Amino acid sequence: MGGSRVAVNDLFGQLLQVEPLFSNKEVMRASYTPDDLPHRDAEIRGLGSLLVPALRGETPSNVFIYGKTGTGKTACVKYVGKELSTKGQEIGKRVNLIYINCEIVDTQYRVLQNIANHFVSAENWAQRIPFTGWPTDEVYEALRRYVDGFKKADDQQWSRDPARIAGEVTIIVLDEVDKLKGDEVLYNLTRINGDLQYNKVSVIGISNDLKFTEFLDPRVKSSLGEESMIFAPYDAKQLEDILTQRAGMALKEGVLQDGVIPLCAALAAREHGDARRALDLLRVAAELAERDRNNKVSDTYVRMSQNKIELDRISEVVRTLPTQSKLVLLATILGEESNKDQGVHTLTTGEVFDVYKELCKSTGSDILTQRRITDLISELDMLGIFTARVISKGRYGRTREIQMSCPIDSTKRVLEEDELIRGVVTFKPKKQNRLV
DNA sequence: AATCCACAGGAAGATTAGGATA
DNA sequence: TATCCTAATCTTCCTGTGGATT
């Protein structure tokens, strides 16, 4: 990079000399589940009391858990699940807890396959169900047998596993259920108890979309929602406690300046009380300070952290935009720049469309209709890349007023990564002589 | 009060892409 | 491999509308 050829002696030696501020960074990541979840006692107790029947060999109700991102849903479920399994071992009741994130495993087949393979031990891994190839009902059948305590011998015969005592309970956690394609799996899983001889299954569904249940098959809705829990967002005070707890474990003593934690908490509380956001904010702030070889994390770093996180988010969104949307975005940027010369900072749909058409011509892409562009503009608005609000200019019609809401230079740089776009980032739109 | 601009945005149908299935 | 299905994308055609202007 760059033109300078100054030799760097012992690059990593130098970098290693930077005094780290972290003692254990993992603790500050969202994937970490602490042993103690502040301000979730009520939820933990509630969930616990819903699941205790498992230890008595009875079937717990299915539970549906709703709450915004970063409200501790997953952490609570994992925590309670862990406790449940430990207690189960103590008293000789086996409880299988199977966690599945439906954002990753999102089809009926793969969910069933995943659950079933939980019962396949490492030594006869060859028995596992392949990720493709079997008819779905056969996977379901295998799953049913496994859950019910059967095992498959090398000769493909099913027999009861003597190690599995009848009456064990399998709890299936489906995180982000709303991401699931189709609701057949839910129907099958909530109904599976009818097909079981010895054991029981209960399902916990987690979602951050409360409206999700509205679109479900009524039968699924009633069986999944036997019990439901709502996780309220954390307030600023609670976020502070969470941050203090984690910072104590993750950071070296005395690296945080007073007021840093309250600031992170306040900023995250403003964004619907997302604990993940608060942790990211603090972690990135500390990383930035560390990189600066500064041994104190101050408010300034929190502000920088906030900018960095937002910028990373925007870059990621822009990078993964479909080409047509990128063209619309570039048209908006170029249009806005050209308008700025004339002292106008906003654009109308029509203006964006005009520039867009020119861009299409010079890149050789298809020109979509204005109706379609209208929708693409709404999408970009929802992604927070720019704001588009409907205004009326009276005699001169009704349109949307569009204004960029993210840094133009860095956005352009991300757009340049696209081969097709690269050639036209410096494109100069024809001056519009519109009435103002 | 009536007009009319420059679109918004709904409905429905066509086209396309990806993925499963025979 | 052909073909079928589905969801996403895009088009066509459309009605609706806030408020400056007449």
Side-chain angles (χ1 to χ4, degrees):
Chain A
M1 292 198 176
S4 80
R5 304 270 310 155
V6 180
V8 179
N9 292 316
D10 193 15
L11 168 66
F12 288 104
Q14 281 183 19
L15 287 176
L16 277 173
Q17 272 172 27
V18 175
E19 188 65 20
L21 299 178
F22 291 96
S23 46
N24 181 4
K25 196 185 279 190
E26 278 314 301
V27 176
M28 295 273 285
R29 295 196 186 276
S31 50
Y32 177 82
T33 314
D35 298 328
D36 175 33
L37 297 164
H39 302 292
R40 282 297 176 245
D41 311 346
E43 285 77 6
I44 289 175
R45 233 191 302 279
L47 190 58
S49 66
L50 289 176
L51 298 183
V52 266
L55 294 174
R56 306 201 193 97
E58 296 156 21
T59 321
S61 303
N62 295 325
V63 188
F64 184 77
I65 297 177
Y66 162 79
K68 296 254 173 64
T69 43
T71 50
K73 303 179 297 291
T74 309
C76 280
V77 171
K78 283 191 168 173
Y79 176 84
V80 174
K82 211 166 82 187
E83 293 285 299
L84 198 62
S85 305
T86 335
K87 196 71 190 169
Q89 262 166 16
E90 260 175 64
I91 63 172
K93 272 275 175 205
R94 175 165 163 168
V95 178
N96 305 305
L97 189 93
I98 299 173
Y99 174 86
I100 289 181
N101 186 333
C102 302
E103 192 169 16
I104 302 161
V105 181
D106 59 357
T107 61
Q108 145 128 312
Y109 181 94
R110 303 219 300 123
V111 168
L112 296 177
Q113 177 230 358
N114 246 279
I115 301 171
N117 283 343
H118 263 268
F119 291 94
V120 183
S121 57
E123 59 262 29
N124 44 10
W125 195 230
Q127 297 281 351
R128 75 185 185 283
I129 298 169
F131 52 85
T132 180
W134 288 22
T136 309
D137 59 331
E138 232 170 275
V139 182
Y140 176 80
E141 193 55 24
L143 162 65
R144 210 206 79 213
R145 294 257 169 97
Y146 279 128
V147 170
D148 219 7
F150 285 81
K151 64 174 182 182
K152 201 180 197 179
D154 292 335
D155 60 0
Q156 307 296 312
Q157 290 301 307
W158 289 96
S159 65
R160 278 281 292 172
D161 183 341
R164 309 267 303 269
I165 306 154
E168 75 184 38
V169 172
T170 299
I171 296 172
I172 300 170
V173 181
L174 298 172
D175 206 345
E176 322 232 4
V177 251
D178 45 311
K179 301 285 161 54
L180 219 49
K181 289 174 184 151
D183 52 11
E184 285 163 77
V185 216
L186 294 175
Y187 180 69
N188 289 332
L189 287 179
T190 49
R191 218 188 36 141
I192 195 172
N193 282 328
D195 293 341
L196 296 176
Q197 256 182 289
Y198 303 99
N199 296 335
K200 295 295 174 198
V201 164
S202 75
V203 179
I204 298 181
I206 304 179
S207 163
N208 46 32
D209 182 4
L210 187 54
K211 280 179 285 179
F212 167 66
T213 46
E214 285 175 22
F215 306 107
L216 285 178
D217 185 313
R219 289 169 302 183
V220 177
K221 195 173 158 185
S222 64
S223 61
L224 185 60
E226 281 172 346
E227 295 285 349
S228 69
M229 294 182 72
I230 293 183
F231 279 54
Y234 297 105
D235 64 30
K237 189 75 200 59
Q238 295 171 331
L239 288 171
E240 270 183 45
D241 292 338
I242 293 171
L243 287 173
T244 311
Q245 179 214 27
R246 299 279 188 110
M249 291 188 281
L251 294 167
K252 295 201 171 149
E253 209 152 312
V255 298
L256 292 183
Q257 223 164 55
D258 289 350
V260 163
I261 286 186
L263 178 60
C264 290
L267 290 172
R270 231 166 38 189
E271 302 229 1
H272 62 254
D274 184 342
R276 188 174 310 166
R277 174 43 97 91
L279 284 165
D280 282 344
L281 214 48
L282 185 57
R283 177 175 50 83
V284 173
E287 283 172 359
L288 289 170
E290 195 177 84
R291 207 174 302 168
D292 256 8
R293 299 175 175 227
N294 199 324
N295 56 4
K296 275 276 182 188
V297 183
S298 61
D299 285 7
T300 325
Y301 286 109
V302 178
R303 306 275 176 202
M304 282 165 63
S305 161
Q306 197 183 18
N307 287 339
K308 182 176 189 305
I309 290 173
E310 178 61 9
L311 197 64
D312 287 353
R313 203 207 105 225
I314 299 274
S315 310
E316 195 45 41
V317 169
V318 171
R319 193 167 293 130
T320 53
L321 241 31
T323 309
Q324 287 292 346
S325 297
K326 284 183 183 165
L327 285 168
V328 174
L329 176 57
L330 182 61
T332 313
I333 292 176
L334 296 176
E336 192 170 299
E337 279 175 343
S338 114
N339 269 9
K340 225 164 229 161
D341 302 346
Q342 301 160 9
V344 186
H345 294 268
T346 59
L347 282 162
T348 65
T349 304
E351 287 168 322
V352 171
F353 187 58
D354 289 341
V355 181
Y356 161 82
K357 276 190 291 191
E358 294 183 57
L359 288 178
C360 284
K361 271 181 219 150
S362 62
T363 56
S365 353
D366 299 342
I367 300 175
L368 302 183
T369 54
Q370 181 158 346
R371 179 66 187 83
R372 181 64 188 143
I373 300 305
T374 304
D375 284 344
L376 293 183
I377 288 174
S378 309
E379 281 171 26
L380 291 169
D381 175 45
M382 283 195 293
L383 289 169
I385 296 173
F386 52 54
T387 51
R389 57 199 184 88
V390 196
I391 54 149
S392 175
K393 300 211 270 185
R395 190 87 236 251
Y396 305 106
R398 224 160 80 91
T399 180
R400 264 151 148 171
E401 192 179 67
I402 301 163
Q403 186 167 25
M404 294 298 297
S405 62
C406 62
I408 288 179
D409 287 342
S410 43
T411 310
K412 258 190 182 173
R413 233 168 291 134
V414 177
L415 284 172
E416 270 177 40
E417 291 171 19
D418 192 304
E419 289 292 332
L420 188 91
I421 308 285
R422 186 150 35 221
V424 285
V425 276
T426 52
F427 189 87
K428 287 267 178 283
K430 283 194 213 122
K431 290 276 181 258
Q432 318 276 326
N433 44 347
R434 279 172 191 274
L435 301 163
V436 182

